[in-house]
Amino acid sequence: MPRELVYFSPTLSPRDYRRKVSDIFSQELSRQGLRMTSQRRRILDELMNAERHLSEKEIYRSLASSGIGRTTVFRTLKVLRECRLVEQVSGTDRPRFELRWERPHHDHLVCISCGHIREVRWPKLEAIQERTCRKIGFVPKWHRHEIFGLCAACSR
Amino acid sequence: MPRELVYFSPTLSPRDYRRKVSDIFSQELSRQGLRMTSQRRRILDELMNAERHLSEKEIYRSLASSGIGRTTVFRTLKVLRECRLVEQVSGTDRPRFELRWERPHHDHLVCISCGHIREVRWPKLEAIQERTCRKIGFVPKWHRHEIFGLCAACSR
DNA sequence: ATGCCTGCAAACGTTTTGCACATAG
DNA sequence: CTATGTGCAAAACGTTTGCAGGCAT
């Protein structure tokens, strides 16, 4: 069973933040009898250094030159999802992968013109959701909330 | 450019409802210089008669016996999406297709155990979304809101 | 040393495309 | 009649799996 989702304090420095996420990955792996490898480390780094949410293809293209195979990217993303460190979200086109340990949960505004993804936090929405789910006996595990449209720049 | 999304009054009888959706499809097609065919009619019928949201595979399996090819199902679903009559949503496994003209917009509670999809209407959520989007200049076109978890039956 | 991990290639399932024929308008 | 639509087969992708060798522990 995966550990509980815990958020970092925003006071963590970028360096410490990366170290911490890396440590959690190692711990999760050994807890499951799995091993930390250079490939897994690199794929996680790639996700941590990215500005946007990456697709499998983008990760592969960045790392292929260092000899990492496509299969490994797929398999590592699967492991990261099982560790609840990464979440799969649906972009305009292909699935994309997002680190869950970065910031509190947020939803996405996806621009259908330029592809830009903006993150929004909606605590009020989350509260309403939780209440409704409780009322009808649905036990929510995670959710995906994406609004597609035109960003401010593209709508002019 | 696609027409605006309009909802039917719930007082429409099932028969009239079907006729109306069909008519809208024909109009949309001719507006774009495309043609209504028996295959397209059947695929739309299949979606209108379904209880659940169907996948491409399910539609194909139902209609293959009447000689409709897989390619045609894919192409018709694409046309239906472009006409804004059908929306593609992500099930637990494969993409599923949902008629947009059936009822007011709703969100989905997807059970990760039995796969059941329950629909919820959240006008309050929609209002909050709209307000936020307006504030930051984002023009929303459509959205996808799916909560994954355990339905009442499976959570016991 | 053992057992998990990796990369390759091959298998698989889904979606798209090229082409000749059919058909709606 | 003409341009669009259809079905087939093949191609093109995305993703998974089997296997021989590599490496973390």
Side-chain angles (χ1 to χ4, degrees), chain B residues 61-83:
Chain B
R61 289 198 50 179
S62 300
L63 299 176
S65 53
S66 21
I68 293 186
R70 187 143 218 183
T71 315
T72 302
V73 178
F74 275 109
R75 285 194 278 225
T76 300
L77 286 170
K78 191 176 182 187
V79 173
L80 282 164
R81 254 182 291 143
E82 284 161 357
C83 294

PDB file of all heavy atoms in Angstrom, chain B residues 61-83:
ATOM      1  N   ARG B  61     -18.365  -3.190 -32.294  1.00  0.00           N
ATOM      2  CA  ARG B  61     -18.854  -4.548 -32.084  1.00  0.00           C
ATOM      3  C   ARG B  61     -20.358  -4.647 -32.305  1.00  0.00           C
ATOM      4  O   ARG B  61     -20.862  -5.648 -32.793  1.00  0.00           O
ATOM      5  CB  ARG B  61     -18.498  -5.037 -30.682  1.00  0.00           C
ATOM      6  CG  ARG B  61     -17.001  -5.296 -30.525  1.00  0.00           C
ATOM      7  CD  ARG B  61     -16.739  -6.156 -29.328  1.00  0.00           C
ATOM      8  NE  ARG B  61     -17.591  -7.360 -29.320  1.00  0.00           N
ATOM      9  CZ  ARG B  61     -17.560  -8.305 -28.401  1.00  0.00           C
ATOM     10  NH1 ARG B  61     -16.707  -8.187 -27.391  1.00  0.00           N
ATOM     11  NH2 ARG B  61     -18.336  -9.346 -28.460  1.00  0.00           N
ATOM     12  N   SER B  62     -21.070  -3.581 -31.933  1.00  0.00           N
ATOM     13  CA  SER B  62     -22.526  -3.607 -32.128  1.00  0.00           C
ATOM     14  C   SER B  62     -22.899  -3.509 -33.592  1.00  0.00           C
ATOM     15  O   SER B  62     -23.919  -4.040 -34.014  1.00  0.00           O
ATOM     16  CB  SER B  62     -23.178  -2.449 -31.373  1.00  0.00           C
ATOM     17  OG  SER B  62     -22.917  -2.547 -29.991  1.00  0.00           O
ATOM     18  N   LEU B  63     -22.102  -2.817 -34.360  1.00  0.00           N
ATOM     19  CA  LEU B  63     -22.497  -2.510 -35.722  1.00  0.00           C
ATOM     20  C   LEU B  63     -21.747  -3.318 -36.778  1.00  0.00           C
ATOM     21  O   LEU B  63     -22.100  -3.292 -37.958  1.00  0.00           O
ATOM     22  CB  LEU B  63     -22.308  -1.016 -35.995  1.00  0.00           C
ATOM     23  CG  LEU B  63     -23.146  -0.094 -35.094  1.00  0.00           C
ATOM     24  CD1 LEU B  63     -22.819   1.361 -35.366  1.00  0.00           C
ATOM     25  CD2 LEU B  63     -24.627  -0.362 -35.297  1.00  0.00           C
ATOM     26  N   ALA B  64     -20.727  -4.030 -36.365  1.00  0.00           N
ATOM     27  CA  ALA B  64     -19.911  -4.770 -37.333  1.00  0.00           C
ATOM     28  C   ALA B  64     -20.770  -5.757 -38.118  1.00  0.00           C
ATOM     29  O   ALA B  64     -20.572  -5.951 -39.321  1.00  0.00           O
ATOM     30  CB  ALA B  64     -18.783  -5.505 -36.615  1.00  0.00           C
ATOM     31  N   SER B  65     -21.757  -6.349 -37.430  1.00  0.00           N
ATOM     32  CA  SER B  65     -22.598  -7.346 -38.092  1.00  0.00           C
ATOM     33  C   SER B  65     -23.397  -6.721 -39.236  1.00  0.00           C
ATOM     34  O   SER B  65     -23.741  -7.391 -40.198  1.00  0.00           O
ATOM     35  CB  SER B  65     -23.551  -7.974 -37.073  1.00  0.00           C
ATOM     36  OG  SER B  65     -24.262  -6.968 -36.393  1.00  0.00           O
ATOM     37  N   SER B  66     -23.694  -5.420 -39.129  1.00  0.00           N
ATOM     38  CA  SER B  66     -24.403  -4.772 -40.238  1.00  0.00           C
ATOM     39  C   SER B  66     -23.428  -4.223 -41.278  1.00  0.00           C
ATOM     40  O   SER B  66     -23.803  -3.393 -42.104  1.00  0.00           O
ATOM     41  CB  SER B  66     -25.323  -3.663 -39.715  1.00  0.00           C
ATOM     42  OG  SER B  66     -24.954  -3.203 -38.452  1.00  0.00           O
ATOM     43  N   GLY B  67     -22.163  -4.656 -41.195  1.00  0.00           N
ATOM     44  CA  GLY B  67     -21.230  -4.333 -42.257  1.00  0.00           C
ATOM     45  C   GLY B  67     -20.543  -2.982 -42.140  1.00  0.00           C
ATOM     46  O   GLY B  67     -19.977  -2.482 -43.107  1.00  0.00           O
ATOM     47  N   ILE B  68     -20.588  -2.376 -40.948  1.00  0.00           N
ATOM     48  CA  ILE B  68     -19.902  -1.097 -40.772  1.00  0.00           C
ATOM     49  C   ILE B  68     -18.457  -1.341 -40.353  1.00  0.00           C
ATOM     50  O   ILE B  68     -18.192  -2.126 -39.454  1.00  0.00           O
ATOM     51  CB  ILE B  68     -20.641  -0.235 -39.732  1.00  0.00           C
ATOM     52  CG1 ILE B  68     -22.005   0.166 -40.293  1.00  0.00           C
ATOM     53  CG2 ILE B  68     -19.822   0.980 -39.356  1.00  0.00           C
ATOM     54  CD1 ILE B  68     -22.761   1.129 -39.432  1.00  0.00           C
ATOM     55  N   GLY B  69     -17.545  -0.678 -41.013  1.00  0.00           N
ATOM     56  CA  GLY B  69     -16.129  -0.901 -40.763  1.00  0.00           C
ATOM     57  C   GLY B  69     -15.592  -0.083 -39.611  1.00  0.00           C
ATOM     58  O   GLY B  69     -16.157   0.944 -39.247  1.00  0.00           O
ATOM     59  N   ARG B  70     -14.500  -0.575 -39.069  1.00  0.00           N
ATOM     60  CA  ARG B  70     -13.881   0.102 -37.937  1.00  0.00           C
ATOM     61  C   ARG B  70     -13.466   1.527 -38.311  1.00  0.00           C
ATOM     62  O   ARG B  70     -13.659   2.468 -37.544  1.00  0.00           O
ATOM     63  CB  ARG B  70     -12.651  -0.706 -37.502  1.00  0.00           C
ATOM     64  CG  ARG B  70     -12.013  -0.215 -36.260  1.00  0.00           C
ATOM     65  CD  ARG B  70     -11.513  -1.380 -35.423  1.00  0.00           C
ATOM     66  NE  ARG B  70     -11.743  -1.092 -34.031  1.00  0.00           N
ATOM     67  CZ  ARG B  70     -11.359  -1.899 -33.039  1.00  0.00           C
ATOM     68  NH1 ARG B  70     -10.788  -3.044 -33.326  1.00  0.00           N
ATOM     69  NH2 ARG B  70     -11.584  -1.574 -31.798  1.00  0.00           N
ATOM     70  N   THR B  71     -12.887   1.653 -39.471  1.00  0.00           N
ATOM     71  CA  THR B  71     -12.447   2.975 -39.931  1.00  0.00           C
ATOM     72  C   THR B  71     -13.583   3.980 -39.881  1.00  0.00           C
ATOM     73  O   THR B  71     -13.402   5.117 -39.449  1.00  0.00           O
ATOM     74  CB  THR B  71     -11.939   2.891 -41.375  1.00  0.00           C
ATOM     75  OG1 THR B  71     -11.089   1.751 -41.484  1.00  0.00           O
ATOM     76  CG2 THR B  71     -11.190   4.125 -41.758  1.00  0.00           C
ATOM     77  N   THR B  72     -14.743   3.552 -40.328  1.00  0.00           N
ATOM     78  CA  THR B  72     -15.891   4.453 -40.379  1.00  0.00           C
ATOM     79  C   THR B  72     -16.294   4.896 -38.977  1.00  0.00           C
ATOM     80  O   THR B  72     -16.665   6.052 -38.770  1.00  0.00           O
ATOM     81  CB  THR B  72     -17.070   3.769 -41.074  1.00  0.00           C
ATOM     82  OG1 THR B  72     -16.659   3.390 -42.384  1.00  0.00           O
ATOM     83  CG2 THR B  72     -18.255   4.698 -41.177  1.00  0.00           C
ATOM     84  N   VAL B  73     -16.218   3.983 -38.017  1.00  0.00           N
ATOM     85  CA  VAL B  73     -16.554   4.363 -36.649  1.00  0.00           C
ATOM     86  C   VAL B  73     -15.605   5.452 -36.166  1.00  0.00           C
ATOM     87  O   VAL B  73     -16.034   6.492 -35.657  1.00  0.00           O
ATOM     88  CB  VAL B  73     -16.508   3.147 -35.710  1.00  0.00           C
ATOM     89  CG1 VAL B  73     -16.801   3.565 -34.280  1.00  0.00           C
ATOM     90  CG2 VAL B  73     -17.509   2.086 -36.153  1.00  0.00           C
ATOM     91  N   PHE B  74     -14.318   5.231 -36.359  1.00  0.00           N
ATOM     92  CA  PHE B  74     -13.345   6.245 -35.957  1.00  0.00           C
ATOM     93  C   PHE B  74     -13.630   7.583 -36.634  1.00  0.00           C
ATOM     94  O   PHE B  74     -13.677   8.625 -36.004  1.00  0.00           O
ATOM     95  CB  PHE B  74     -11.922   5.792 -36.316  1.00  0.00           C
ATOM     96  CG  PHE B  74     -11.286   4.924 -35.276  1.00  0.00           C
ATOM     97  CD1 PHE B  74     -11.084   3.576 -35.508  1.00  0.00           C
ATOM     98  CD2 PHE B  74     -10.896   5.452 -34.052  1.00  0.00           C
ATOM     99  CE1 PHE B  74     -10.493   2.765 -34.545  1.00  0.00           C
ATOM    100  CE2 PHE B  74     -10.305   4.657 -33.089  1.00  0.00           C
ATOM    101  CZ  PHE B  74     -10.101   3.300 -33.337  1.00  0.00           C
ATOM    102  N   ARG B  75     -13.837   7.507 -37.959  1.00  0.00           N
ATOM    103  CA  ARG B  75     -14.033   8.759 -38.686  1.00  0.00           C
ATOM    104  C   ARG B  75     -15.317   9.465 -38.279  1.00  0.00           C
ATOM    105  O   ARG B  75     -15.345  10.691 -38.153  1.00  0.00           O
ATOM    106  CB  ARG B  75     -14.001   8.480 -40.196  1.00  0.00           C
ATOM    107  CG  ARG B  75     -12.564   8.238 -40.682  1.00  0.00           C
ATOM    108  CD  ARG B  75     -12.451   8.294 -42.193  1.00  0.00           C
ATOM    109  NE  ARG B  75     -12.842   7.038 -42.810  1.00  0.00           N
ATOM    110  CZ  ARG B  75     -12.159   6.438 -43.788  1.00  0.00           C
ATOM    111  NH1 ARG B  75     -11.047   6.956 -44.241  1.00  0.00           N
ATOM    112  NH2 ARG B  75     -12.583   5.306 -44.308  1.00  0.00           N
ATOM    113  N   THR B  76     -16.365   8.695 -38.042  1.00  0.00           N
ATOM    114  CA  THR B  76     -17.629   9.318 -37.662  1.00  0.00           C
ATOM    115  C   THR B  76     -17.532   9.943 -36.270  1.00  0.00           C
ATOM    116  O   THR B  76     -18.051  11.040 -36.036  1.00  0.00           O
ATOM    117  CB  THR B  76     -18.767   8.294 -37.713  1.00  0.00           C
ATOM    118  OG1 THR B  76     -18.869   7.790 -39.034  1.00  0.00           O
ATOM    119  CG2 THR B  76     -20.083   8.925 -37.307  1.00  0.00           C
ATOM    120  N   LEU B  77     -16.862   9.251 -35.359  1.00  0.00           N
ATOM    121  CA  LEU B  77     -16.699   9.823 -34.030  1.00  0.00           C
ATOM    122  C   LEU B  77     -15.940  11.140 -34.116  1.00  0.00           C
ATOM    123  O   LEU B  77     -16.232  12.087 -33.387  1.00  0.00           O
ATOM    124  CB  LEU B  77     -15.972   8.833 -33.108  1.00  0.00           C
ATOM    125  CG  LEU B  77     -16.834   7.654 -32.644  1.00  0.00           C
ATOM    126  CD1 LEU B  77     -15.981   6.604 -31.939  1.00  0.00           C
ATOM    127  CD2 LEU B  77     -17.936   8.131 -31.716  1.00  0.00           C
ATOM    128  N   LYS B  78     -14.986  11.192 -35.013  1.00  0.00           N
ATOM    129  CA  LYS B  78     -14.223  12.424 -35.191  1.00  0.00           C
ATOM    130  C   LYS B  78     -15.140  13.539 -35.696  1.00  0.00           C
ATOM    131  O   LYS B  78     -15.115  14.660 -35.186  1.00  0.00           O
ATOM    132  CB  LYS B  78     -13.085  12.193 -36.174  1.00  0.00           C
ATOM    133  CG  LYS B  78     -12.093  13.335 -36.230  1.00  0.00           C
ATOM    134  CD  LYS B  78     -10.946  12.996 -37.154  1.00  0.00           C
ATOM    135  CE  LYS B  78      -9.916  14.137 -37.167  1.00  0.00           C
ATOM    136  NZ  LYS B  78      -8.866  13.900 -38.181  1.00  0.00           N
ATOM    137  N   VAL B  79     -15.957  13.215 -36.693  1.00  0.00           N
ATOM    138  CA  VAL B  79     -16.894  14.208 -37.222  1.00  0.00           C
ATOM    139  C   VAL B  79     -17.853  14.670 -36.134  1.00  0.00           C
ATOM    140  O   VAL B  79     -18.114  15.864 -35.979  1.00  0.00           O
ATOM    141  CB  VAL B  79     -17.695  13.627 -38.411  1.00  0.00           C
ATOM    142  CG1 VAL B  79     -18.773  14.603 -38.849  1.00  0.00           C
ATOM    143  CG2 VAL B  79     -16.766  13.324 -39.577  1.00  0.00           C
ATOM    144  N   LEU B  80     -18.365  13.732 -35.358  1.00  0.00           N
ATOM    145  CA  LEU B  80     -19.297  14.079 -34.287  1.00  0.00           C
ATOM    146  C   LEU B  80     -18.640  14.989 -33.259  1.00  0.00           C
ATOM    147  O   LEU B  80     -19.278  15.891 -32.719  1.00  0.00           O
ATOM    148  CB  LEU B  80     -19.817  12.807 -33.604  1.00  0.00           C
ATOM    149  CG  LEU B  80     -20.907  12.058 -34.375  1.00  0.00           C
ATOM    150  CD1 LEU B  80     -21.077  10.647 -33.835  1.00  0.00           C
ATOM    151  CD2 LEU B  80     -22.223  12.812 -34.284  1.00  0.00           C
ATOM    152  N   ARG B  81     -17.377  14.743 -32.999  1.00  0.00           N
ATOM    153  CA  ARG B  81     -16.663  15.609 -32.067  1.00  0.00           C
ATOM    154  C   ARG B  81     -16.518  17.003 -32.668  1.00  0.00           C
ATOM    155  O   ARG B  81     -16.707  18.007 -31.981  1.00  0.00           O
ATOM    156  CB  ARG B  81     -15.282  15.031 -31.748  1.00  0.00           C
ATOM    157  CG  ARG B  81     -15.207  14.430 -30.358  1.00  0.00           C
ATOM    158  CD  ARG B  81     -13.817  13.914 -30.076  1.00  0.00           C
ATOM    159  NE  ARG B  81     -13.511  12.741 -30.891  1.00  0.00           N
ATOM    160  CZ  ARG B  81     -12.317  12.481 -31.429  1.00  0.00           C
ATOM    161  NH1 ARG B  81     -11.301  13.309 -31.235  1.00  0.00           N
ATOM    162  NH2 ARG B  81     -12.139  11.390 -32.132  1.00  0.00           N
ATOM    163  N   GLU B  82     -16.181  17.049 -33.948  1.00  0.00           N
ATOM    164  CA  GLU B  82     -15.994  18.345 -34.600  1.00  0.00           C
ATOM    165  C   GLU B  82     -17.300  19.126 -34.663  1.00  0.00           C
ATOM    166  O   GLU B  82     -17.288  20.355 -34.653  1.00  0.00           O
ATOM    167  CB  GLU B  82     -15.398  18.156 -35.994  1.00  0.00           C
ATOM    168  CG  GLU B  82     -13.917  17.819 -35.941  1.00  0.00           C
ATOM    169  CD  GLU B  82     -13.405  17.196 -37.236  1.00  0.00           C
ATOM    170  OE1 GLU B  82     -14.217  16.980 -38.164  1.00  0.00           O
ATOM    171  OE2 GLU B  82     -12.209  16.914 -37.313  1.00  0.00           O
ATOM    172  N   CYS B  83     -18.424  18.408 -34.723  1.00  0.00           N
ATOM    173  CA  CYS B  83     -19.727  19.068 -34.696  1.00  0.00           C
ATOM    174  C   CYS B  83     -20.126  19.441 -33.271  1.00  0.00           C
ATOM    175  O   CYS B  83     -21.189  20.013 -33.060  1.00  0.00           O
ATOM    176  CB  CYS B  83     -20.809  18.163 -35.286  1.00  0.00           C
ATOM    177  SG  CYS B  83     -20.623  17.826 -37.035  1.00  0.00           S
TER     178      CYS B  83
END
